[in-house]
């Protein structure tokens, strides 16, 4: 921590200089077209529910209530009553650095490296059910949960993965001084220790990252010191080691937090004087830095260009293709999911024709980006990213760093698209009545998807450039440092002492290496934009002023659709203070059918460690992952903890089956609609109608239908709707053909920017596409109509 403090003080002054210079000179780049929500999860929570947790103290499984707020930290309570009474939770889990596991085999593979002794195939604890959920951390305490059904396991796994993804996102980019100073200091410290390349444990708050940095070196020494002292059977030693590691990690984190705060306060106290010096001598500092840069270039560039030609250029295109394929699939799935939700809303609105119907669907869509279960189909596309064969060459520890970053960008783009649609639709509804609601929705939808296509292209190209730099720069520094490091100190003499705080030769050396490879990376990304399969716009297409009126809506807060158009105003006003403070939940709770609810005090006895054999023979009971276990294990060997749907064929069959079910439209009588709304308002954790009735179109649904058949409920849920026989003929999927991808970015660049802007405007859909959609939809509509008529006749006969 003493060495880190010295590095941080140096990098803080450099970061402050870069920030002030950027403020004065300004930064370029394309402007985003979509609006950005400032506080996305205001008055929202992610998920809550009950499951079993293993309590280490008494070796029992207890029923616990877990609550995931907007911070994505997991709070667990004794029971739901304790949460409702606003008591303090029994514990809180910060998921930074954790992995979510759904089988015992995955867990045993990870902990086998904790101790030198071999770990047996049998676990050191017995799970209460066959659907486990394990939170594993290389240094901190492990958490063991289990649920009753596979459906619960899938939903909890998606939620826990989202918590890990959010916590691993890194430090906020909004802080232009502290964040780059911290990350550069950590990188220089690791490079001094001989560790180059990406680092999986660069996650969490600064104190966690620093504790990971300490434990990286301390753990091996600690293991050699403590392992000989551990007594008992293998399982007992393994459990004891995990507890010792967690205790040491907590102590290290406390000391890192204290020392980091001390260094930060010292730097912040000197900030005003440093900034005054920078603004006074800005021109002289820039001139001095350019002079030193030219001197270093003369020494470093020849070596860098030789290394670049031999070891980097042959691999740029192959790595870029691997990054582009899975990432573009993920963003395309985001676009399709957004479009499907809006088409679903349009179809139901055409039948109802009221603003209340629109409000009900917008309540569901408004938090679509933060619904981990619905977004899973998008996230899993990126989890197929593989850099196999290149990891050893370029010292890439795991693709998970790039996978999680791409998933965060996908979530941001989805939320930006939803928020922009929300604001445009709300403005349109205020200026007109209920007539032609569907045309209004479709106009807003086409307008937003055009902007999403442009923004997603810009975001992906920036992500590709950053990922390639993260792969190549550490490798080049590792190869060039032995020959160049000895020559760098003499360049420090060329810097005036007054400017030495803001100009560091180590940073200039890295900048020279970066610029040497940047031209090849930019060229590779630019050439990829020409290929239609990647759906990237050319850089020459600029939409900076294509819709200036839209940005006037950017300062507006999120819209409470239920309060404004949903008819719930009177109920909310009369519900009391406790009702007003209740937060809305993004993911609906799980209702387990045909399963007795255990009392809150219930616990399940588990055998002691002495009763568990230490043989490597397989136990009689299995982990219960079914057909998915093999696919999941193979993914985790590549560094993932995601779910697998088994095969593409199953996914397509599930989607086709779901499409048939979604064709019937929702038409309710006035009394049924009122009762459904009333029941929905009474339910504390209930969600939108379609969320419970129609699960998200993802591979999870496919695996639910194939692997775990759920018996149909005896009576329709309160939110379910009945279908009139004539409604399928009224609307089919061809009424809402998907807007075509704008391929103008793939044509030759226009000579006038005005022509490019005009190209990007919403145009009427070509007639050929209407015909194509009709051909595909007519094959489904008769089935849906027949199915609906049968259900209607059955109900009449009943």
């Amino acid at each position: 921590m003493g060495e880190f403090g010295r590095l941080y003080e140096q990098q803080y002054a450099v970061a402050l200089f870069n920030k002030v210079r950027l403020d004065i000179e300004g930064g370029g780049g394309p402007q985003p077209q979509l609006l950005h929500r400032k506080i996305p999860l205001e008055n929202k929570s992610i998920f809550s529910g009950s499951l079993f947790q293993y309590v280490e103290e008494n070796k029992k499984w207890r029923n616990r209530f877990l609550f995931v707020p907007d911070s994505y930290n997991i709070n667990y309570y004794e029971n739901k009553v304790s949460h409702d009474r606003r008591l303090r939770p029994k514990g809180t889990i910060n998921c930074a650095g954790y992995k979510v596991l759904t089988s015992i085999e995955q867990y045993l593979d990870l902990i086998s490296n904790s101790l030198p002794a071999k770990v047996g195939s049998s676990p050191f604890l017995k799970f209460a059910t066959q659907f486990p959920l394990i939170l594993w951390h290389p240094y901190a305490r492990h958490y063991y949960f289990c649920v009753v059904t596979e459906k619960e396991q899938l939903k909890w796994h998606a939620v826990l993965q989202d918590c890990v993804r959010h916590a691993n996102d890194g430090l906020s980019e909004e802080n232009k001084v502290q964040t780059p100073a911290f990350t550069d200091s950590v990188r220089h410290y690791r490079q001094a220790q001989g560790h180059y390349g990406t680092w999986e444990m660069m996650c969490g708050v600064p104190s966690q990252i620093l504790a990971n940095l300490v434990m990286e070196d301390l753990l091996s020494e600690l293991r050699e010191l403590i392992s000989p002292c551990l007594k008992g059977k293998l399982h007992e030693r393994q459990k004891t080691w995990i507890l010792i590691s967690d205790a040491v990690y907590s102590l290290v984190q406390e000391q890192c937090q204290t020392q980091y705060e001390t260094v930060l306060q010292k730097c912040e106290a000197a900030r005003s004087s440093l900034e005054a010096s920078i603004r006074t001598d800005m021109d002289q500092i820039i001139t001095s830095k350019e002079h030193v840069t030219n001197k270093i270039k003369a020494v470093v560039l020849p070596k860098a260009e030789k290394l670049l030609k031999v070891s980097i250029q042959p691999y740029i295109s192959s790595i870029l293709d691997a990054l582009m394929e899975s990432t573009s699939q993920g963003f395309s799935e985001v676009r399709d999911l957004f479009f499907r939700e809006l088409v679903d809303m349009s179809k139901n609105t055409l039948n109802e024709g009221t603003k209340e119907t629109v409000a009900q669907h917008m309540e569901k869509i408004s938090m679509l980006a933060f619904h981990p279960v619905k977004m899973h189909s998008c996230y899993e596309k990126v989890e197929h990213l593989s850099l196999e064969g290149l990891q050893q060459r370029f010292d890439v520890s795991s693709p998970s760093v790039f996978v999680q970053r791409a998933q965060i960008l996908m979530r941001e783009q989805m939320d930006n698209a939803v928020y922009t649609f929300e604001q445009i639709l709300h403005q349109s509804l205020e200026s007109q009545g209920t007539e032609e609601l569907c045309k209004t929705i479709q106009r807003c939808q086409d307008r937003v998807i055009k902007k999403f296509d442009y923004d997603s292209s810009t975001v992906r190209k920036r992500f590709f450039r950053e990922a390639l730099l993260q792969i190549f720069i550490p490798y080049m520094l590792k190869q060039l440092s032995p020959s160049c490091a000895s020559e760098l100190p003499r360049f420090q003499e060329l810097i005036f002492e007054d400017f030495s705080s803001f100009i560091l030769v180590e940073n200039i050396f890295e900048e020279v290496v970066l610029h040497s490879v940047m031209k090849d990376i930019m060229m590779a990304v630019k050439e990829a934009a020409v290929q239609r399969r990647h759906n990237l716009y050319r850089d020459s297409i600029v939409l900076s002023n294509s819709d200036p009126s839209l940005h006037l809506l950017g300062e507006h807060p999120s819209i409470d659709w239920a309060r404004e158009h949903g008819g719930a105003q009177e109920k909310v006003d009369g519900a009391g203070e406790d009702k007003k403070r209740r937060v809305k939940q993004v993911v609906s709770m799980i209702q387990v059918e045909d399963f007795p609810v255990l009392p809150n005090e219930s616990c399940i006895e588990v055998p002691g460690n002495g009763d568990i054999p230490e043989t490597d023979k397989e136990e009689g009971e299995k982990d219960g992952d079914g057909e998915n276990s093999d696919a999941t294990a193979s993914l985790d060997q590549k560094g993932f903890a995601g779910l697998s749907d088994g095969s593409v064929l199953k996914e397509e069959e599930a989607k086709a089956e779901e499409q048939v079910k979604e064709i019937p439209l929702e038409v309710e009588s006035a009394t049924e609609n009122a009762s459904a709304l009333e029941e929905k308002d009474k339910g504390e954790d209930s969600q939108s109608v379609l969320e419970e009735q129609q699960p998200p179109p993802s591979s999870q649904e496919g695996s639910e239908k194939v692997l775990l058949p759920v018996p149909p409920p005896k009576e329709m849920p309160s939110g379910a709707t009945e279908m009139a026989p004539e409604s399928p003929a009224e609307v089919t999927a061809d009424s809402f053909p998907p807007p075509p991808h704008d391929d103008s970015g793939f044509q030759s660049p226009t000579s006038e920017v005005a022509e490019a802007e005009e190209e990007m405007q919403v145009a009427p859909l070509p007639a050929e596409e209407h015909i194509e959609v009709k051909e595909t939809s007519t094959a489904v509509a008769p089935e849906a109509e027949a199915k609906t008529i049968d259900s209607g006749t059955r109900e009449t006969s009943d």
Side-chain angles (χ1 to χ4, degrees), residues 19 39 48 103 111 132 249 403 470 510 575 602 623 655 719 726 737 756:
K19 190 257 182 188
I39 310 176
S48 63
S103 73
I111 66 172
Y249 185 64
V403 169
Q470 288 182 23
E510 292 186 354
S602 68
D623 64 320
K655 287 185 177 179
E726 64 274 7

Side-chain angles (χ1 to χ4, degrees), residues 239-418:
K239 288 181 63 176
T240 305
W241 167 252
I242 293 173
L243 294 176
I244 292 174
S245 176
D246 175 64
V248 173
Y249 185 64
S250 300
L251 291 173
V252 169
Q253 193 168 330
E254 289 176 7
Q255 294 195 27
C256 289
Q257 174 73 18
T258 303
Q259 296 189 47
Y260 172 69
E261 289 177 352
T262 303
V263 174
L264 182 61
Q265 290 173 2
K266 181 180 178 182
C267 292
E268 288 292 324
R271 176 168 180 164
S272 57
S273 60
L274 287 173
E275 190 167 345
S277 301
I278 292 170
R279 294 186 180 276
T280 303
D281 302 322
M282 174 64 75
D283 294 337
Q284 291 89 336
I285 297 173
I286 294 175
T287 303
S288 178
K289 182 178 179 181
E290 289 176 350
H291 175 68
V292 176
T293 301
N294 291 330
K295 295 289 186 182
I296 295 178
K297 274 183 180 179
V299 175
V300 175
L301 265 185
K303 300 177 182 179
E305 289 176 353
K306 182 179 178 180
L307 177 65
L308 183 64
K309 186 176 181 179
V310 175
S311 303
I312 303 295
Q313 288 176 348
Y315 299 96
I316 291 179
S317 59
S318 59
I319 296 178
L320 185 58
D321 284 343
L323 288 169
M324 277 187 164
E325 184 178 2
S326 56
T327 306
S328 294
Q329 287 176 1
F331 275 88
S332 178
E333 182 66 22
V334 170
R335 185 188 194 273
D336 293 343
L337 175 61
F338 177 66
F339 178 76
R340 288 196 301 267
E341 293 286 342
L342 296 189
V343 168
D344 185 53
M345 181 173 73
S346 297
K347 289 193 295 185
N348 288 279
T349 304
L350 188 58
N351 285 334
E352 297 289 342
T354 62
K355 291 185 178 180
E356 286 76 10
T357 307
V358 176
Q360 289 176 17
H361 284 272
M362 284 308 302
E363 275 289 293
K364 177 185 69 170
I365 295 174
S366 62
M367 287 291 108
L368 180 61
F370 301 94
H371 198 298
V373 181
K374 290 186 176 182
M375 289 291 291
H376 175 73
S377 62
C378 308
Y379 293 150
E380 72 172 354
K381 299 288 185 184
V382 192
E383 288 176 350
H384 298 150
L385 172 65
S386 173
L387 300 177
E388 192 174 355
L390 302 172
Q391 295 179 213
Q392 293 78 16
R393 174 179 292 275
F394 295 109
D395 199 16
V396 178
S397 58
S398 169
S400 62
V401 175
F402 308 112
V403 169
Q404 291 183 354
R405 181 58 185 161
Q407 290 171 340
I408 289 291
L409 293 174
M410 289 161 55
R411 186 175 73 184
E412 290 177 356
Q413 288 301 297
M414 173 66 91
D415 188 52
N416 291 347
V418 168

